[in-house]
């Protein structure tokens, strides 16, 4: 099967597109649409075999040890999604070629990320492994983040992008936990195997399902997590049309639909899916009715439709499954058409507010007809695909139609569906009226006519909705193939068709049209009711509260733990050392578990009498360092201690260690001298008192503990040292210097990690300097001479530390209003 | 570069032909390549001479440590430290302009090249199906040197070497050169500002 290859082509094209944009301008989008067209054509070619019940599969091993394989499986549901993702996507890409100006900022990045998104979405809908699904899923979240934040100089774009990412990826983590639980209790991470043989008896299954549904609901913008979708409308319109109508937001619905055949009967699946879906449908429709911005109207309409799809996907009955495929394709086609229409209107007239548009229907008749047909499909009018899907949906919830649903529940759901459909009709009508009607109160704008190529995309998509509506037999096989697992034998399946005879759903459709028309006709009255309703707490509030709590908690924790005082940090570290292992050692020695190795067979005072000399040097310099009050002599003394230790290494036959230590000591001494230039000549000496005594006691205890534990530990060897065979191994590896062979060969991975740390700290040092500079600039601009003197002249190192700890330097340097001391710099 | 401003080997008083050419007694080059302005303290000729004489030897020694590390004390880390010591010496003797003149690459470039070398040696064995960081050795005979042993670990060590040099140079640049430059900036600012704000700003210091 070609699929992994096709996804790889997406990645390759994503790399190639930015330079192409530079050469060809926005026409490069036509090239970028090629992989999408390729995958749509490929899916169509596979369709006969897939619909005959032979899914196309492929498998690429990725992490075999963790049971992570890139399994791909194209079945009926995946086929429908691929047609949406790649087919509609290819059309939107062609439209983008006309929509974007070639001099648009960062167009190359936009195009590349869009292709990456298309590839990962293709992966989401075709993969058969839970982990691979998660990876592709989060790739779509990340690319959506980049696309929503495309205009990264606008604050609201950045905020909307972050909000979408935090919401979808945050709940995606819950979903990952759900996946892992599901995989563990099911014994496999292969989705088709899990659905075919669900671990229904396991008590953990409901937990896993709830977590997975949380992720799916966040992705598909279900109430109360729907807030991110309208916010994400700051993205360019083709992006909104593709991500937030046709493809990405369907990811959650897809996941629900994917798992429904196996898990729909497990409690609390149906309650959650039907409850949240219905609520979303109603809230979305209600909010869409009062939007003035056409794009926001569509966004809330999308929220409503996603609720509808979730209800259908999760219901877990054959008719609902049939309806799902119909509505899924219909929604992809009509919503993309409408978004692209808004894009054309916005592009030509410069506004998309209903209150500023008038007479567009006369000026752009082709667009108006296409959008009208799409809106009619959304409203559920015959002979369009939307009508076919909605009929099937009503049929699915007629009480008594499906045995799996209790009649009361079906009745409630059906009522909700009818009410929401009436709202849908009303906002569809409002869209067409708002975009194209002549309004006597609004003056007409002058605008250039859109080019034919620009309008072609919405017309094409709208026509596709019409054709599939007239000929539902083209869609029906997919729906039947997806619904087949739900059939429980009893009755034959429901087929997608325009005419089923005089059935209850037809009557309901008529009712919807009537109620919807009434709502639209009485729109002033509806608006008054909406305004009079008490305002619900916005769902966004939860998000803001959450983010604010995280920030404030982080701030207060940082403020409490990061005092910025080195003695305090060291004191805490040493006190912990003494409190945990120190007390343990003391207890062990006191209890007699560990004997101090005095006088044992392996106990010697020294190996070489010279060690005594070196030890005396170390002790004397160490004591002198502590007693020294001037910084520079203290530095020299502590270096002497270091050189003394290097001497011990030499005496013990470790020239490598000694060499390195000498070099490091020399370098640190020199670098510390650089720093000392800027520090006061003497330490701030603590006054004699309990504070000083405490410090002395703490340090003495820590030193004693380290010495004692080393002493005990070196004697406590019970197993043979691992290094015994190293000499021979080093010969094999081609070196005689054991230390070096260990560093560069045996433990090369450790060394590798260490040099990464070195490089990172080098970069950190550089940024520390930048930080200090920027801070100085800000301080100088702010408080003038004084701050400048304080930051530049007296103590930059504490200033840097303060800036690291929490950005408090400015207030520090502003507060320390020392008189200028020119003699210190020179 | 001549010290006295005229090239010593051009006979300035050629036509007369009497006496030695002017400036013949001056050295042809300065000890260090830039105008010497030590980082701190007065200028020290002794230090300059020592730096000039020792730096090539130190750098050679650092490469020796790097190459011989597999059989004798040394290795990439120690070699890198020694090499960076040469630059630190140059900085101490000649100041930040001297340091900048002596750097073949910027510290960030050194870090990047070092990381690339280390990552390359770590990842290359994967291409032939061997585990990460797998080492190979290669022996051949050169005319003068006799048998020479090349280890892939040497490339890894070179990466370590460059990263160590890069790290030390960034630290020196940050804590030494940058601070020195800032001090000078502050001095100039003060010097420029005193005439105008002498009553307020200069009052405390002067």
């Amino acid at each position: 099967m070609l699929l992994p290859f096709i996804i790889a082509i997406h990645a390759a094209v994503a790399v190639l597109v930015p330079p192409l944009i530079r050469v060809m301008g926005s026409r490069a989008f036509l090239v970028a649409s090629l992989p999408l067209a390729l995958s749509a054509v490929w899916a169509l070619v596979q369709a006969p075999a897939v619909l005959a019940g032979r899914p196309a599969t492929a498998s690429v091993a990725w992490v075999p040890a963790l049971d992570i394989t890139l399994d791909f499986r194209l079945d009926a549901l995946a086929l429908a999604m691929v047609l949406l993702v790649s087919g509609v996507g290819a059309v939107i890409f062609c439209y983008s070629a006309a929509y974007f100006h070639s001099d648009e900022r960062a167009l190359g990045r936009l195009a590349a990320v869009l292709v990456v998104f298309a590839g990962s979405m293709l992966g989401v809908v075709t993969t058969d492994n839970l982990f691979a699904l998660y990876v592709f899923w989060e790739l779509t979240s990340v690319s959506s983040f980049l696309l929503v934040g495309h205009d990264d100089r606008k604050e609201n774009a950045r905020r909307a992008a972050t909000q979408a990412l935090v919401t979808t990826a945050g709940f995606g983590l819950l979903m990952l936990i759900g996946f892992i639980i599901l995989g563990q209790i099911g014994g496999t991470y292969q989705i088709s195997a899990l659905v075919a043989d669900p671990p229904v008896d396991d008590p953990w299954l409901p937990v896993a399902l709830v977590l997975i549904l949380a992720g799916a609901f966040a992705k598909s913008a279900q109430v109360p997590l729907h807030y991110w979708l309208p916010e994400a409308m700051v993205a360019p319109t083709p992006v909104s049309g593709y991500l937030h109508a046709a493809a990405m937001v369907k990811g959650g619905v897809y996941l629900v639909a994917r798992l429904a055949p196996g898990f729909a009967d497990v409690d609390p699946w149906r309650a959650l899916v039907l409850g949240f879906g219905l609520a979303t449908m109603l809230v979305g429709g209600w909010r869409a009715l009062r939007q003035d911005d056409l794009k926001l109207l569509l966004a809330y309409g999308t929220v409503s439709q996603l609720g509808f799809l979730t209800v259908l996907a999760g219901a877990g009955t054959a008719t609902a499954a049939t309806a799902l495929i119909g509505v899924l394709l219909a929604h992809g086609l009509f919503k993309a058409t409408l978004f692209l229409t808004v894009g054309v209107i916005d592009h030509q007239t410069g506004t998309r507010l209903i209150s500023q548009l008038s007479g567009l229907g006369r000026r752009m008749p082709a667009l108006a007809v296409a959008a009208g047909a799409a809106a009619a499909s959304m409203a559920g009018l015959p002979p369009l695909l939307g009508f076919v899907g909605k009929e099937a949906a009503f049929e699915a919830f007629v009480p008594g139609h499906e045995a799996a649903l209790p009649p009361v529940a079906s009745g409630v759901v059906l009522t909700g569906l009818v009410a929401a459909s009436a709202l849908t009709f009303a906002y569809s009508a409002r869209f067409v009226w708002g975009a194209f009607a002549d309004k006597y109160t609004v003056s007409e704008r002058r605008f250039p006519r859109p080019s034919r190529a620009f309008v072609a995309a919405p017309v094409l998509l709208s026509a596709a909705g019409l054709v599939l509506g007239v000929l539902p037999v083209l869609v029906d096989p997919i729906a039947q193939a997806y619904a087949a697992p739900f059939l429980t034998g009893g009755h034959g399946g429901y087929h997608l068709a325009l005419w089923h005879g005089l059935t209850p759903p037809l009557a309901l459709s008529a009712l919807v049209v009537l109620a919807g028309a009434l709502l639209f006709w009485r729109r002033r009255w509806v608006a008054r009711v909406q305004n009079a309703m008490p305002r619900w707490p916005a769902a966004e509030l939860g998000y803001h509260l959450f983010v604010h709590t995280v920030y404030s908690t982080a701030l207060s924790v940082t403020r409490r733990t990061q005092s910025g005082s080195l003695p305090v940090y060291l004191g805490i570290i040493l006190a912990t050392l003494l409190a945990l292992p120190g007390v343990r050692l003391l207890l062990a020695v006191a209890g007699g578990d560990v004997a101090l190795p005095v006088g044992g067979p392996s106990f010697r005072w020294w190996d070489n009498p010279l060690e005594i000399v070196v030890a005396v040097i170390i002790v004397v310099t160490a004591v002198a360092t502590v007693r020294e009050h001037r910084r520079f002599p203290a530095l020299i003394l502590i270096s002497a201690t270091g050189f003394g230790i290097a001497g011990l290494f030499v005496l013990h036959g470790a020239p490598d260690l000694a060499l390195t230590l000498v070099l490091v000591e020399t370098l640190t001494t020199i670098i510390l001298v650089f720093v000392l230039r800027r520090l006061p000549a003497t330490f701030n000496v603590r006054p004699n008192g309990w504070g000083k005594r405490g410090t002395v006691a703490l340090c003495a205890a820590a030193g004693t503990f380290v010495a004692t534990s080393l002493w005990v530990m070196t004697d406590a060897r019970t197993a043979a040292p691992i290094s015994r065979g190293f000499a021979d191994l080093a010969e094999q590896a081609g070196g005689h210097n054991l230390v070096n062979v260990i560093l560069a060969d045996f433990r090369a991975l450790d060394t590798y990690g260490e040099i990464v740390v070195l490089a990172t700290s080098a970069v950190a040092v550089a940024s520390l300097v930048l930080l200090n500079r920027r801070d100085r600039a800000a301080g100088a601009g702010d408080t003038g001479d004084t701050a400048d003197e304080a930051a530049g002249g007296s103590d930059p190192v504490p200033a840097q530390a303060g800036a690291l700890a929490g950005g408090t330097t400015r207030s520090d340097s502003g507060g320390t209003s020392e008189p200028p001391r020119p003699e210190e710099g020179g | 570069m001549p010290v006295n401003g005229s090239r010593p080997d051009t006979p300035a008083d050629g036509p007369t032909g009497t006496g030695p050419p002017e400036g013949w007694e001056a050295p042809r080059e300065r000890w260090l390549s830039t105008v010497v302005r030590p980082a701190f303290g007065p200028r020290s000729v002794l230090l300059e001479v020592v730096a000039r004489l020792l730096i090539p030897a130190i750098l050679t020694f650092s490469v020796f440590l790097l190459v011989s590390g597999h059989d004798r004390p040394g290795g990439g880390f120690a070699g890198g430290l020694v090499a960076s010591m040469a630059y630190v010496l140059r900085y101490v003797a000649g100041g930040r302009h001297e340091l900048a003149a002596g750097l073949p690459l910027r510290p960030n470039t050194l870090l990047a090249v070092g990381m690339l070398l280390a990552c390359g040696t770590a990842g290359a064995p994967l291409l032939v199906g061997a585990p990460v960081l797998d080492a190979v050795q290669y022996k051949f005979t050169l005319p003068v040197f006799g048998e020479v042993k090349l280890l892939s670990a040497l490339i890894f060590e070179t990466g370590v070497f460059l990263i160590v040099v890069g790290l030390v140079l960034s630290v020196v640049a940050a804590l030494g050169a940058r601070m020195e430059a800032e001090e000078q900036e502050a001095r100039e600012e003060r010097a420029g500002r005193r005439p105008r704000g002498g009553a307020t700003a200069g009052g405390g210091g002067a």
Side-chain angles (χ1 to χ4, degrees):
Chain A
M1 179 164 125
L2 269 176
L3 198 66
F5 182 62
I6 293 178
I7 293 181
I9 292 183
H10 279 79
V13 170
V15 175
L16 287 179
V17 159
L20 267 184
I21 291 265
R22 236 167 280 141
V23 179
M24 300 169 59
S26 61
R27 271 172 304 163
F29 272 102
L30 298 178
V31 179
S33 74
L34 289 180
L36 283 82
L38 177 68
S39 64
V41 169
W42 171 82
L44 281 178
V45 170
Q46 302 286 325
V50 169
L51 297 179
R54 295 192 304 277
T57 58
S59 184
V60 182
W62 185 13
V63 192
L66 288 179
D67 199 9
I68 303 179
T69 9
L70 292 178
D71 287 320
F72 294 100
R73 187 167 180 275
L74 187 81
D75 59 5
L77 178 63
L79 177 67
M81 288 298 295
V82 170
L83 289 180
L84 268 187
V85 168
S86 298
V88 177
V91 176
I92 294 180
F93 271 57
C94 295
Y95 169 91
S96 303
Y99 180 86
F100 289 111
H101 295 288
S102 295
D103 51 359
E104 166 102 18
R105 199 172 141 268
L107 191 58
R109 182 183 70 194
L110 179 89
V113 178
L114 213 49
V115 178
V116 167
F117 169 79
S120 17
M121 198 63 212
L122 190 61
V124 168
V125 298
T126 51
T127 185
D128 197 25
N129 183 286
L130 285 176
F131 285 124
L133 174 69
Y134 177 76
V135 170
F136 283 124
W137 179 283
E138 291 305 354
L139 270 177
T140 66
S141 295
V142 172
S143 39
S144 157
F145 168 75
L146 293 172
L147 291 169
V148 173
H150 167 62
D151 198 351
D152 50 16
R153 287 185 293 201
K154 278 195 198 144
E155 200 217 336
N156 62 343
R158 295 198 303 269
R159 204 177 41 215
T162 316
Q163 185 173 323
L165 182 71
V166 169
T167 308
T168 55
F171 282 87
L173 285 178
L174 292 186
M175 187 182 77
L176 177 62
I177 300 174
F179 280 171
I180 293 173
I181 298 178
L182 187 60
Q184 287 300 323
I185 60 181
T188 174
Y189 286 94
Q190 202 177 18
I191 302 171
S192 51
L194 280 169
V195 171
D197 182 22
V200 279
D201 296 328
D202 200 287
W204 282 94
L205 182 60
V207 180
L209 290 181
V210 168
L211 291 173
I212 292 173
L213 283 180
F217 285 175
K219 192 79 161 182
S220 277
Q222 301 294 300
V223 166
L225 303 174
H226 64 283
Y227 52 82
W228 68 266
L229 186 56
E231 294 283 319
M233 290 299 136
V234 294
T237 303
V239 170
S240 307
Y242 187 31
L243 266 70
H244 307 127
M248 187 182 88
V249 289
K250 298 258 172 59
V253 173
Y254 165 79
L255 184 61
V256 173
R258 172 58 74 204
L259 297 179
F263 301 101
D265 291 325
V266 180
D267 266 346
W269 174 282
R270 269 209 184 91
L272 288 176
V273 169
L274 298 181
F276 280 101
L278 265 189
T280 308
M281 224 182 146
L282 290 167
V283 169
W286 185 248
R287 299 283 300 265
L289 261 187
R290 69 162 186 238
Q291 300 302 323
D292 187 41
D293 184 336
L294 286 174
K295 204 170 167 188
L296 275 185
L297 189 158
L298 289 182
Y300 279 106
T302 308
V303 170
S304 168
Q305 296 282 327
L306 287 171
F308 187 25
L309 287 167
T310 305
V311 167
L312 294 178
T317 64
T319 316
T322 314
L324 170 72
I325 299 293
V327 179
L328 195 66
L329 291 174
H331 180 251
L333 291 173
F334 68 65
K335 198 46 76 62
T337 309
L338 295 177
F339 266 108
L340 300 192
T341 305
V342 173
V344 173
I345 293 175
D346 195 11
H347 191 269
Q348 301 303 122
T349 67
T351 182
R352 48 181 204 236
L353 298 181
I354 291 178
S355 54
Q356 294 179 8
L357 290 169
S358 176
L360 264 62
R362 277 182 286 109
R363 302 284 304 278
M364 298 192 279
L367 188 68
V369 169
S377 182
M378 178 155 79
L381 290 179
L384 295 147
L385 190 56
F387 170 76
V388 176
K390 195 163 282 186
E391 285 281 284
F394 287 161
E395 178 74 30
F397 291 99
V398 168
H401 176 81
E402 291 279 0
L405 291 172
V408 179
S410 328
V412 171
V413 173
L414 190 62
T415 317
L417 286 190
V418 171
S421 299
L423 291 174
T424 305
F425 186 95
Y427 72 71
S428 305
R430 181 177 161 79
F431 177 86
V432 177
W433 167 79
F436 295 106
D438 291 337
K439 303 185 197 80
Y440 301 110
T441 51
V442 181
S443 61
E444 285 191 22
R445 294 172 160 249
R446 300 169 65 83
F447 60 89
R449 278 174 196 284
S451 68
R452 281 167 193 279
F454 196 16
V455 181
V459 171
L460 187 68
L461 291 176
S462 180
L466 181 66
V467 170
L468 293 181
V470 176
L471 297 171
V473 285
L474 295 177
V475 183
D476 195 49
I478 304 181
Q480 295 309 320
Y482 172 61
F486 295 104
L487 279 177
T488 44
H491 49 85
Y494 176 93
H495 288 269
L496 292 177
L498 269 177
W499 180 251
H500 285 100
L502 291 170
T503 51
L506 191 63
L508 290 174
S509 284
L511 178 67
V512 163
V513 172
L514 278 179
L518 186 72
L519 277 176
F520 174 66
W521 181 47
R522 287 289 188 184
R523 53 185 177 273
R524 287 178 193 286
W525 178 77
V526 172
R528 268 206 300 280
V529 172
Q530 288 202 329
N531 286 337
M533 297 253 304
R535 291 192 80 96
W536 299 344
E540 226 177 331
L541 201 66
Y543 170 79
H544 289 309
L545 272 180
F546 170 74
V547 172
H548 180 78
T549 317
V550 170
Y551 273 135
S552 57
T553 313
L555 271 181
S556 69
V557 166
T558 311
R559 207 178 311 124
R560 287 194 190 128
T561 53
Q562 303 295 319
S563 62
S565 155
L566 195 56
V568 170
Y569 290 160
L570 286 176
I572 289 173
I573 293 173
L574 293 183
T576 317
L577 181 75
L578 287 175
L580 300 173
V583 168
R584 183 74 189 87
L585 179 71
L586 205 62
L587 289 178
V589 172
D593 296 341
V594 175
L596 288 180
V598 188
S602 58
F603 181 80
R604 296 181 301 279
W605 282 105
W606 57 74
D607 288 330
N608 183 337
L610 271 179
E611 284 172 24
I612 305 273
V613 179
V614 179
V616 167
I617 294 175
I618 293 176
V619 170
V620 167
T621 50
V623 170
T625 310
V626 174
R627 298 190 60 83
E628 181 58 62
H629 291 172
R630 289 160 302 165
R631 286 178 199 256
F632 190 75
L635 172 64
I636 300 300
L637 284 170
I638 206 166
S639 312
T641 314
F643 285 117
I645 291 169
L648 277 187
F649 287 151
V650 172
L651 290 175
H652 274 101
D656 258 294
L657 282 182
L659 172 67
T660 313
L661 186 60
V662 166
L663 292 173
V664 169
E665 277 298 335
T666 317
L667 254 181
T668 37
T669 308
I670 297 174
I671 288 172
L672 280 175
V673 168
F674 295 160
V675 178
L676 279 191
R677 281 185 294 158
R678 307 280 290 264
L679 293 177
T682 56
F683 294 108
N684 295 334
V685 183
R686 276 195 188 183
N688 287 328
W690 285 112
K692 188 168 185 170
R693 277 172 223 159
T695 313
V696 170
L698 185 67
C699 295
T704 315
F705 163 69
V706 170
T708 315
S709 55
L710 279 178
W711 185 27
V712 171
M713 274 187 243
T714 41
D715 191 58
R717 182 179 290 288
T718 51
I722 192 178
S723 56
R724 197 134 288 165
F726 273 13
D728 294 336
L729 285 173
E731 285 298 324
Q732 281 177 31
H736 303 293
N737 178 359
L738 201 51
V739 175
N740 201 272
V741 174
I742 290 176
L743 284 178
D745 196 333
F746 298 168
R747 295 289 176 87
L749 200 59
D750 293 1
T751 311
Y752 183 75
E754 280 153 20
I755 58 173
V756 171
V757 172
L758 284 190
T760 316
S761 51
V763 173
V765 167
S767 49
L768 197 68
V769 172
L770 276 182
L771 200 71
N772 193 31
R773 263 186 91 68
R774 202 174 307 150
D775 210 71
R776 257 168 53 84
D782 230 36
T783 47
D785 215 339
T786 342
D788 186 36
E789 291 296 332
S794 59
D795 57 347
V797 174
Q800 283 170 357
L804 261 194
T808 53
T809 321
R810 259 184 59 186
S811 56
D812 282 350
S813 53
T816 334
S817 49
E818 295 173 26
R821 287 178 297 178
E823 72 278 5
E824 220 189 58
Chain B
M1 282 276 290
V3 170
N4 292 354
S6 64
R7 293 188 68 77
D9 49 354
T10 41
D13 48 354
T16 61
T18 59
E22 193 184 324
W24 63 273
E25 74 284 8
R28 287 159 71 112
E29 285 181 10
R30 278 203 287 247
W31 286 108
L32 295 174
S33 61
T34 58
V35 181
V36 174
R37 200 178 288 147
F40 35 89
R43 188 175 160 177
S44 155
V45 175
L46 188 61
L47 198 56
E48 279 173 45
V49 173
V50 166
R52 176 60 193 259
L53 293 180
L54 277 189
I55 284 172
I58 297 178
L59 286 175
T60 316
F61 179 58
S62 75
V63 175
F64 169 76
L65 281 181
L66 166 70
V67 177
S68 73
H70 238 64
D71 290 335
R72 280 178 287 270
F77 192 77
L81 286 175
V82 169
S84 41
M85 216 82 92
Y87 288 105
V88 171
L89 176 59
R90 196 161 182 174
Y91 169 65
V92 170
R96 65 195 154 100
H97 296 291
E98 182 63 29
L99 176 68
L103 286 185
L105 297 165
R106 295 184 52 153
N108 286 349
T109 323
L110 284 174
L111 287 172
V113 173
M115 278 313 286
L116 273 181
L117 280 180
C119 292
T121 356
L126 290 177
L127 296 180
V128 294
V132 174
L133 281 162
D134 197 31
V136 287
Q137 55 175 318
Y138 180 58
K139 283 185 183 172
F140 53 94
T141 315
L142 280 182
V144 183
F145 297 91
E147 197 184 40
V148 176
K149 181 175 66 180
L150 259 186
L151 286 160
S152 66
L154 182 63
I155 307 177
F156 184 72
E157 291 267 28
T158 313
V160 177
F161 179 96
L162 291 179
I163 286 175
V164 170
V165 176
L167 168 71
V168 175
L169 288 182
S170 342
V171 171
V172 170
L175 295 181
R178 170 50 58 194
M179 270 159 73
E180 194 192 321
E182 280 174 8
E183 270 168 18
Q184 194 186 345
E185 237 173 67
R187 262 200 309 275
E188 281 163 10
E189 261 174 45
R190 265 198 297 268
R193 205 172 286 182
R194 193 158 298 145
R196 279 184 289 126
T200 54

